[in-house]
């Protein structure tokens, strides 16, 4: 059983550092081989690609643009009347993915429109989502990219989000029926919505293209106090043969590098995929001087 591979989510980790280039350097010097970022669009893709190369990192996941966040949008994939904006955002995401060598794009479903009843609009939103996903699958296939669907919990994080359980996401993926669309498993969200992690991981892992982790309920490091036994969960993922990346999408409780002791312990026990014999640097780089 191969050890798990971890990616640093730069939208969450190293918040003390301004800008993605500085966070890329910090992730590289902390031993990561890969990173992910929700929305890289404030930076030019060429700048990010150069910074990632210099840090010895590969980018493994980005999201489609959120839409108009001032109007409360958080993704557009299932939002009625926003199909054209979703497709424009998809084109932008594909441009970035190609420039960055990033193989996966999270196709954000979006929120139930303000003032609408979730049950009343569910059928319409699913029709819109299926239409957009079929279009996205074709676009992504031309570039050899994978699209991901991520359920986000509606109990704590985002009460209006349309896609909130792995069962709902898996049913939609089955209806679309495209091999380059997969499930994104954020263990934090899955635990809050449904629990039963052992059963759900075993059931859905065959269609999972990416995993993300954070402790519940505080969304801190896997080693922070909470409900989840991450040594058990990591062993389960290994035992089930998971080969993708595990994204560290959590809120550091203090200094990011000090909080990575849980990951260094994992690497010490299971081996680091690329640097097990080299000794890992554990100090981050200073912020950009520019």
């Amino acid at each position: 059983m191969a050890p798990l591979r971890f990616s640093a989510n730069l939208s969450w980790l190293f918040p003390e550092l301004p800008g993605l280039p500085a966070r890329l350097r910090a992730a590289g010097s902390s031993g990561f081989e890969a990173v992910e970022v929700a929305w890289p669009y404030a930076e030019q893709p060429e700048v990010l690609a150069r910074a990632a190369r210099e840090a010895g990192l590969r980018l493994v996941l980005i999201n489609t643009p959120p839409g108009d966040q001032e109007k409360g949008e958080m993704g557009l994939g299932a939002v009625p009347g926003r199909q054209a904006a979703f497709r424009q955002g998809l084109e932008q995401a594909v441009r970035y993915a190609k420039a960055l060598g990033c193989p996966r794009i999270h196709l954000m479903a979006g929120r139930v429109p303000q003032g609408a009843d979730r049950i009343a609009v569910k059928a319409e939103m699913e029709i819109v989502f299926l239409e957009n996903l079929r279009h996205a699958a074709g676009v992504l296939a031309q570039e050899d990219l994978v699209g991901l669907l991520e359920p986000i919990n509606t109990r704590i994080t985002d009460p209006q989000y349309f896609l909130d359980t792995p069962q709902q996401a898996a049913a939609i993926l089955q209806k679309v029926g495209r091999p380059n669309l997969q499930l994104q498993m954020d263990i934090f969200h899955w635990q809050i919505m449904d629990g039963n992690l052992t059963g759900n991981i075993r059931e859905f892992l065959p269609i999972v293209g990416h995993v993300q982790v954070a402790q519940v309920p505080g969304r801190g490091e896997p080693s922070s106090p909470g409900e989840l036994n991450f040594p058990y969960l990591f062993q389960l993922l290994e035992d089930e043969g998971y080969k993708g990346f595990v994204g560290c999408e959590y809120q550091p409780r203090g200094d990011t590098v000090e909080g990575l002791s849980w990951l260094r312990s994992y690497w010490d026990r299971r081996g680091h995929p690329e640097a097990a014999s080299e000794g890992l640097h554990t100090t981050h780089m200073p912020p950009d001087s520019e």
Side-chain angles (χ1 to χ4, degrees):
M1 294 173 290
L4 299 174
R5 300 181 296 165
F6 292 87
S7 58
N9 190 304
L10 301 185
S11 299
W12 291 75
L13 301 190
F14 310 105
E16 64 273 12
L17 299 180
L20 288 176
R23 295 183 185 189
L24 283 162
R25 291 198 298 272
S29 65
S30 297
F32 285 99
E33 61 170 315
V35 295
E36 57 196 68
V37 59
W39 301 305
Y41 308 111
E43 304 272 2
Q44 291 299 313
E46 297 78 14
V47 172
L48 294 179
R50 183 173 62 250
R53 285 195 304 270
E54 291 173 351
L57 294 164
R58 48 183 154 166
L59 196 73
V60 297
L61 176 69
I62 61 174
N63 294 356
T64 50
D68 190 340
Q69 290 184 285
E70 292 186 359
K71 294 183 178 179
E73 292 182 331
M74 185 59 66
L76 301 172
V79 181
R82 296 290 276 153
Q83 289 93 323
F86 171 80
R87 295 184 182 199
Q88 291 172 359
L90 176 66
E91 292 177 2
Q92 184 182 23
V94 169
R95 286 198 303 272
Y96 270 74
K98 290 173 61 179
L100 295 167
C102 178
R104 299 170 197 84
I105 299 174
H106 167 205
L107 306 171
M108 298 195 71
R111 291 169 170 157
V112 173
Q114 292 182 0
D117 178 77
R118 174 182 292 272
I119 296 176
V121 300
K122 181 178 180 180
E124 179 187 5
M125 292 190 71
E126 182 171 306
I127 290 171
V128 171
F129 203 21
L130 292 171
E131 173 190 329
N132 280 335
L133 290 176
R134 292 188 180 103
H135 170 80
V139 171
L140 296 174
Q142 293 176 9
E143 305 295 344
D144 196 26
L145 299 172
V146 172
L148 299 175
L149 275 60
E150 180 189 13
I152 295 175
N153 83 80
T154 49
R155 289 184 170 146
I156 297 176
T157 300
D158 196 335
Q160 292 300 108
Y161 205 74
F162 172 70
L163 192 70
D164 64 352
T165 68
Q167 291 81 5
Q168 180 190 11
I172 287 172
L173 286 170
Q174 186 174 28
K175 290 178 182 179
V176 177
R178 302 296 174 86
N180 67 329
L181 298 185
Q182 298 176 344
L183 184 60
Q184 183 169 322
M185 176 173 69
D186 189 319
I187 287 176
F188 173 81
H189 296 306
W190 286 29
Q191 169 68 5
I192 290 170
M193 288 304 296
D194 195 51
N196 188 33
L197 286 178
T198 299
N200 283 336
I201 288 172
R202 287 176 174 160
E203 178 180 357
F204 295 114
L205 198 62
I207 60 171
V208 166
H210 192 74
V211 172
Q212 292 174 325
V213 295
Q215 186 57 273
V216 177
R219 209 165 189 177
E221 292 90 344
S223 58
S224 61
E227 300 175 11
L228 300 181
N229 179 350
F230 274 99
Y232 169 83
L233 293 172
F234 292 154
Q235 186 65 55
L236 177 63
L237 290 172
E238 289 184 25
D239 291 345
E240 294 296 313
Y242 178 65
K243 303 299 184 186
F245 281 92
V246 177
C248 302
E249 188 183 86
Y250 59 78
Q251 182 65 55
R253 294 176 299 162
D255 180 82
T256 298
V257 174
E258 293 179 2
L260 288 171
S261 58
W262 67 271
L263 183 53
R264 291 192 291 274
S265 296
Y266 178 88
W267 284 333
D268 288 342
R269 186 174 67 257
R270 293 292 289 118
H272 187 278
E274 292 185 354
S277 63
E278 298 177 4
L280 300 174
H281 303 294
T282 57
T283 56
H284 58 67
M285 300 290 287
D288 282 332
S289 58
E290 299 175 359

